[in-house]
Amino acid sequence: MAKIISLVNQKGGVGKTTTAINLAACLSVAEKKTLLIDLDPQGNASVGLGLDKTSFENSNIYHAIIGEVPITKAIYKTELPFLDVCPSDTNLVGAEIELVGALAREVKLKTCLKPILNDYEYILVDCPPSLGLLTINSLTASNGFIVPLQTEYFAMEGLAQLLKTVEMINSSINPGLELTGIVLTLFDTRNNLHKQVSEEIRHHFTGKVFNSVIPRNIKLSECPSFGKPIILYDIESKGSEAYLSLAKELILLERSGEKNLVVPPVMNTENNLENLQQT
Ligand SMILES: Nc1ncnc2c1ncn2[C@@H]1O[C@H](COP(=O)(O)OP(=O)(O)OP(=O)(O)O)[C@@H](O)[C@H]1O
Ligand SMILES: [Mg+2]
């Protein structure tokens, strides 16, 4: 059965999509069959993985959620053999409105994923920057969630609001939903505030912050315009190293069956790709 993980943070521009694309790509090179669902009407994950918008305009996550097509018809292959994507476009804005009056509107995604749960090891869902109905659908369908967090001053404030929403979902429709981990993104080691906030978050969420930290890396911001994940764009980059390391941590966490991250830091290994494939 697939492990379903939402990439969620209602704050915009914190690295949700970058993490969704690159974590999914790195899991797939470890030969974990992975599906990335783009649940954001901006469609950034779809384009960032090289899909042409016209190729999926009639069959994407919007059509699957509203029940117009089966999910299998809304899944597309990527350049990586173990990675598929279920894209989205601006139509998805409509779903939020169309579903408002619908019965069991929170479980639409969960229901439409049922037929493919045995086809993947990981299903990652890239959420939009809000705690609206689409994000609620994602959290309702998920076993876990990863919070990409930019180590800025107000980071913790937004997190409290997100955790309150999760608590509500836990006590109503999805008691099994758990925080998989927080991943620090857009990190600048020379920035004192980043270091300070990072320490505070690690202190507050012991065992719940990935050791792998995603640095601010120009290659990571370039690769979506080439429709490639970082590992196909520049395998030598710091961004590649960081996401390979994150994928390894996630795989080891799953394998350990532990709730908390207990694995040692895995950054700066000599050959991360080889290292990950041997995991
Ligand atoms: N580690 C990084 N280094 C450099 N640039 C990055 C990094 N992570 C993300 N970016 C850039 O920052 C911008 C926002 O990132 P991204 O789209 O991943 O955030 P998001 O949380 O998905 O945003 P939204 O809330 O709008 O969906 C993008 O232009 C992306 O290329
Ligand atoms: Mg995004």
Side-chain angles (χ1 to χ4, degrees), residues 178-183 205-210 259-261:
E178 282 176 356
L179 172 61
T180 307
I182 294 168
V183 56
F205 293 94
T206 313
K208 284 293 178 189
V209 184
F210 286 99
K259 290 210 183 300
N260 285 344
L261 291 153

Side-chain angles (χ1 to χ4, degrees), residues 13 15-18 38 40 42 44-45 126-129:
K16 291 181 290 294
T17 302
T18 305
D38 188 350
D40 185 347
Q42 295 179 98
N44 295 343
D126 183 25
C127 292

Side-chain angles (χ1 to χ4, degrees), residues 157-229:
E157 208 166 275
L159 200 51
Q161 199 186 343
L162 167 61
L163 294 178
K164 227 180 248 172
T165 305
V166 170
E167 234 170 69
M168 193 189 75
I169 293 172
N170 276 151
S171 63
S172 53
I173 27 186
N174 188 6
L177 176 68
E178 282 176 356
L179 172 61
T180 307
I182 294 168
V183 56
L184 305 178
T185 58
L186 287 149
F187 195 81
D188 180 356
T189 43
R190 291 162 305 179
N191 183 321
N192 279 336
L193 179 65
H194 283 198
K195 280 196 259 180
Q196 212 176 314
V197 176
S198 146
E199 275 164 27
E200 204 175 312
I201 291 166
R202 285 190 189 280
H203 177 72
H204 211 85
F205 293 94
T206 313
K208 284 293 178 189
V209 184
F210 286 99
N211 290 295
S212 314
V213 171
I214 312 302
R216 186 176 281 280
N217 176 244
I218 184 85
K219 301 279 182 181
L220 279 171
S221 58
E222 284 169 6
C223 59
S225 60
F226 294 90
K228 286 186 189 295

Side-chain angles (χ1 to χ4, degrees), residues 62 66 68 91 93-102 133:
Y62 165 75
I66 63 164
E68 214 169 86
N91 272 335
V93 175
E96 254 195 291
I97 300 156
E98 283 164 49
L99 291 180
V100 163
L133 194 49

